[in-house]
Amino acid sequence: MKKIMLLVLSLTITSTLLFGCQTNESNTINSSENKPKQQSEVEEIPTIKIDGEIKEVSISKTKGSNKIVLEDSSSIETLKTIIMRGIKVNGIADMTNPEYYMNIIYENGNVQYFHLWIHEKGETSTLMNTEDTHTAYTVGKEMTEKLIEFIK
């Protein structure tokens, strides 16, 4: 009988402690968690920033040699779209040596340098701003096809 009383008392104390340690969550409709985010609170998807009006883009297999120079507005706009649609890859990037080097020369004289890994048609590609080599951006399948057209 003593064992049963001791067991009941133990369970009662344990239940009381567990019940007392629960978090106080509010399930009301007006809680701050259920409110829609204001425009300023919405998280932006980090993308690569364009530094101004692009004058010229050059892509080369190795630094400085066999350069493909794109100066026409149609090609520049396409590359600008490709860069701006790049989606940041979560985590720290640890990449192999780049397949291509891309330089963007702006009207104001500034230059941005990128590493570029162009994959096969139907796959995504990767680009990285050389000023932030810990962050990589993926480029969609459709944009990969456009990149392949540029380097042919």
Side-chain angles (χ1 to χ4, degrees):
M1 184 72 168
K2 272 187 169 181
K3 289 182 181 180
I4 292 175
M5 286 297 275
L6 189 57
L7 181 63
V8 170
L9 184 60
S10 303
L11 288 174
T12 305
I13 291 172
T14 304
S15 298
T16 304
L17 286 173
L18 289 175
F19 182 73
C21 292
Q22 288 183 350
T23 60
N24 186 14
E25 293 182 19
S26 173
N27 291 328
T28 62
I29 293 176
N30 293 328
S31 73
S32 63
E33 293 177 9
N34 293 330
K35 288 183 184 176
K37 290 185 177 184
Q38 299 297 322
Q39 184 68 21
S40 62
E41 295 175 352
V42 176
E43 289 183 34
E44 290 185 27
I45 298 173
T47 59
I48 297 174
K49 304 293 183 214
I50 299 297
D51 200 20
E53 197 63 37
I54 298 173
K55 177 181 175 184
E56 169 185 305
V57 177
S58 66
I59 301 172
S60 61
K61 187 90 170 157
T62 58
K63 287 186 177 180
S65 65
N66 300 328
K67 241 191 245 186
I68 300 166
V69 179
L70 305 168
E71 296 176 303
D72 64 287
S73 60
S74 173
S75 297
I76 288 174
E77 281 303 312
T78 301
L79 274 170
K80 186 176 177 180
T81 302
I82 290 169
I83 293 167
M84 292 177 68
R85 287 190 183 173
I87 299 170
K88 182 179 177 180
V89 177
N90 288 330
I92 296 175
D94 186 18
M95 305 290 289
T96 61
N97 289 333
E99 297 173 336
Y100 294 92
Y101 298 89
M102 181 170 64
N103 302 334
I104 298 177
I105 302 162
Y106 294 96
E107 294 287 343
N108 62 9
N110 291 344
V111 180
Q112 260 184 317
Y113 303 97
F114 292 91
H115 293 158
L116 193 56
W117 294 264
I118 301 175
H119 300 278
E120 301 294 321
K121 281 187 176 182
E123 296 179 1
T124 61
S125 290
T126 306
L127 62 101
M128 177 186 290
N129 188 332
T130 60
E131 291 180 9
D132 182 11
T133 57
H134 293 295
T135 306
Y137 297 84
T138 58
V139 176
K141 297 172 185 176
E142 179 182 311
M143 297 298 154
T144 295
E145 290 181 22
K146 291 181 181 185
L147 284 171
I148 291 170
E149 290 175 19
F150 285 128
I151 60 171
K152 284 186 178 180

